[in-house]
């Protein structure tokens, strides 16, 4: 590669984008490829332009910066930009290239930029632990209110209340919802820990159901039960899962 670093800015605030552009213009080693105002544009531009480095806002409408990262096949080096220090700290803890807490100075910007340039020129393959990052961001119990999935070239945002149930499939989870069935690379344990425990319950090692979608629970065979959902689907229930259901439905 040549020594010119290609850069993309992804931020919904024009003022924030303008500041990054202004600071970038003072560095001859970088080439600005463009700017995006939301995560959807960001994914499209990253896949098309393949920048070496992105400046990524975390809190954006439609999808957040973290949710956007989950949907990327190939991830460039990233400098997070955010007005919320709790996100910045979490990003830093998982070895992000760097983060900038808004408002940031030119000196602090250059520190982050030079760190990224050095890492890119050294072809540093150390990657952000995204799974750990997402887990840290959502470390508060019951914190999930939507799940973002990528299916072929489409991005689907599934509100939690639209979900019927989740089904474990090796290292993936199939999300069955009013919006269809979508496969997500994630562990069931993550959803067990982050979905609202008053609405979602793990009834089987392979299934978590939305309690609001349960029509009835019936004995299937000795110490084995089945849940019938309002849409007619039947879900196996373990002995432990049945105990949880009984406790929740008291």
């Amino acid at each position: 590669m040549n020594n010119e670093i290609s850069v993309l800015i992804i931020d919904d605030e024009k003022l924030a984008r303008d500041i990054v552009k202004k600071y970038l213009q003072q560095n001859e080693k970088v080439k600005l490829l463009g700017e995006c105002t939301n995560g959807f544009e960001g994914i499209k531009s990253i896949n098309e332009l393949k920048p070496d480095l992105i400046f990524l806002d975390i809190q954006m409408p439609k999808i957040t910066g973290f949710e956007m990262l989950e949907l990327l096949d190939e991830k460039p080096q990233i400098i997070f930009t955010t007005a919320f220090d709790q996100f910045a700290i979490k990003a830093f803890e998982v070895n992000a290239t760097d983060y900038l807490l808004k408002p940031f100075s030119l000196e602090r910007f250059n520190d982050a930029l030079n760190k990224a340039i050095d890492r890119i020129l050294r072809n540093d393959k150390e990657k952000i632990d995204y799974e750990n990052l997402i887990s840290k961001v959502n470390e508060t119990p019951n914190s999930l209110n939507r799940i973002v999935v990528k299916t072929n070239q489409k991005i689907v945002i599934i509100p939690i209340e639209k979900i019927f149930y989740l089904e474990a499939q090796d290292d993936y989870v199939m999300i069955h919802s009013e919006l269809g069935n979508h496969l997500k690379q994630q562990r069931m344990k993550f959803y067990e820990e982050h979905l609202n425990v008053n609405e979602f319950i793990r009834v089987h090692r392979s299934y978590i159901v939305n309690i609001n979608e349960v029509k009835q629970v019936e004995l299937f065979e000795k110490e084995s039960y089945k849940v019938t959902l309002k849409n007619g689907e039947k879900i196996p229930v373990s002995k432990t899962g049945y105990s949880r259901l009984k406790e929740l439905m008291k």
Side-chain angles (χ1 to χ4, degrees):
M1 64 178 297
N2 58 40
N3 289 339
E4 192 172 63
I5 306 301
S6 57
V7 177
L8 188 68
I9 304 169
I10 305 169
D11 197 314
D12 63 308
E13 299 177 36
K14 184 177 185 302
L15 177 60
R17 297 196 305 273
D18 289 345
I19 290 173
V20 173
K21 281 191 294 184
K22 177 182 175 183
Y23 288 171
L24 284 173
Q25 289 171 354
Q26 301 180 39
N27 194 312
E28 296 179 350
K29 295 180 181 178
V30 301
K31 175 184 179 182
L32 180 61
L33 298 179
E35 54 187 288
C36 306
T37 60
N38 60 62
F40 293 124
E41 291 179 12
I43 292 171
K44 183 173 184 293
S45 295
I46 289 171
N47 288 334
E48 290 178 355
L49 303 174
K50 301 189 184 308
D52 299 312
L53 169 67
I54 61 173
F55 286 84
L56 177 62
D57 187 18
I58 295 174
Q59 289 295 95
M60 293 187 291
K62 298 184 179 179
I63 59 173
T64 69
F66 291 132
E67 290 170 335
M68 192 204 83
L69 291 177
E70 281 192 278
L71 304 175
L72 289 175
D73 297 324
E74 295 184 18
K75 301 175 180 67
Q77 294 287 334
I78 299 163
I79 296 176
F80 289 106
T81 58
T82 177
F84 302 92
D85 59 353
Q86 73 272 26
F87 290 140
I89 292 169
K90 289 168 181 177
F92 193 68
E93 285 176 344
V94 291
N95 199 35
T97 305
D98 208 338
Y99 70 90
L100 294 169
L101 189 60
K102 299 174 182 176
F104 45 84
S105 66
L106 174 60
E107 181 180 12
R108 178 68 186 89
F109 178 88
N110 282 334
D111 285 344
L113 177 60
N114 290 331
K115 185 189 297 185
I117 291 174
D118 179 64
R119 186 176 278 194
I120 293 166
L121 294 179
R122 286 190 291 107
N123 197 25
D124 190 337
K125 297 297 185 183
E126 189 172 16
K127 300 296 184 184
I128 297 174
D129 184 348
Y130 289 97
E131 184 175 335
N132 190 19
L133 173 59
I134 298 302
S135 180
K136 281 180 175 292
V137 170
N138 293 299
E139 65 186 7
T140 304
N142 310 330
S143 58
L144 279 183
N145 54 32
R146 64 184 186 182
I147 298 175
V148 181
V149 297
K150 182 179 179 183
T151 303
N152 297 324
Q153 298 303 313
K154 293 176 62 178
I155 296 170
V156 181
I157 299 174
I158 307 172
I160 293 303
E161 62 272 18
K162 301 287 186 183
I163 294 175
F164 300 140
Y165 66 98
L166 297 94
E167 178 183 8
Q169 294 190 2
D170 296 324
D171 292 333
Y172 292 80
V173 171
M174 181 65 80
I175 302 163
H176 301 261
S177 76
E178 291 180 26
L179 306 182
N181 301 332
H182 299 90
L183 199 60
K184 175 91 172 181
Q185 187 173 17
Q186 188 56 274
R187 298 172 182 170
M188 283 292 272
K189 184 174 176 57
F190 173 83
Y191 293 114
E192 186 179 18
E193 292 175 346
H194 293 93
L195 288 169
N196 189 328
V197 295
N198 295 317
E199 295 181 358
F200 288 87
I201 187 166
R202 191 163 188 169
V203 297
H204 185 277
R205 62 183 175 82
S206 298
Y207 295 94
I208 294 174
V209 299
N210 182 344
I211 194 70
N212 297 312
E213 295 297 325
V214 174
K215 180 180 180 182
Q216 65 181 37
V217 186
E218 58 187 328
L219 183 65
F220 177 62
E221 54 188 24
K222 186 179 180 181
E223 296 188 342
S224 178
Y225 299 84
K226 278 196 173 182
V227 158
T228 301
L229 301 181
K230 292 176 181 176
N231 65 4
E233 291 192 71
K234 295 182 182 298
I235 307 298
V237 179
S238 67
K239 183 178 178 181
T240 303
Y242 182 66
S243 297
R244 292 173 181 156
L245 267 175
K246 280 204 305 182
E247 187 66 26
L248 190 62
M249 298 175 76
K250 279 183 178 177

